[in-house]
Amino acid sequence: FLTFEYLMRLHTRRTSTPRSSIPAPLIALYGGIAGEVLWLSSYPFDVVKSKMQSDGFGAGMRYANMRDVWRQTWREEGMRGFWKGIGPTCVRALPVSAGTFIVVEMVMRAMG
């Protein structure tokens, strides 16, 4: 939401127009950009979370804790290990976030 609100306020300041006059395609664009920023800033944490979730239990357990996930991923795969799958995630995030933010903004406008 931080990126979206920043872009919306930047638009209103640059154009000297009220928020309610920002057209839907621009709202969708700003929402899509906000989604991309979110994923780019948090993706390594999501990778670690996913590795913890898919880890086995008992004898099949590979990681002792989150720190161990970070350590093993860094040792075995380097920095690239924390970014595997970022491409499809970003391709998916743009339209999903654009749709989410346009719907929220239009509902807020309709509610007054």
Side-chain angles (χ1 to χ4, degrees):
F1 286 98
L2 182 66
T3 302
F4 178 74
E5 288 301 324
Y6 172 78
L7 292 171
M8 293 289 282
R9 289 180 184 166
L10 182 66
H11 181 91
T12 58
R13 273 188 254 128
R14 284 189 171 178
T15 61
S16 298
T17 57
R19 182 181 179 120
S20 60
S21 69
I22 299 175
L26 277 178
I27 296 170
L29 175 65
Y30 298 157
I33 291 169
E36 297 295 318
V37 169
L38 168 77
W39 277 109
L40 290 171
S41 65
S42 65
Y43 197 75
F45 298 101
D46 191 65
V47 168
V48 170
K49 175 211 48 132
S50 295
K51 287 185 176 196
M52 288 291 296
Q53 288 176 328
S54 64
D55 197 15
F57 291 102
M61 197 167 157
R62 181 171 179 199
Y63 306 109
N65 51 44
M66 288 184 70
R67 185 181 303 158
D68 192 35
V69 176
W70 285 95
R71 186 176 28 246
Q72 285 191 45
T73 302
W74 181 262
R75 189 177 332 119
E76 295 170 11
E77 305 174 62
M79 183 63 79
R80 296 183 86 178
F82 295 104
W83 297 97
K84 283 185 177 179
I86 189 69
T89 298
C90 285
V91 167
R92 176 198 61 181
L94 193 124
V96 169
S97 298
T100 300
F101 279 98
I102 189 75
V103 167
V104 168
E105 186 69 21
M106 291 304 157
V107 167
M108 295 298 286
R109 287 182 184 183
M111 291 173 53

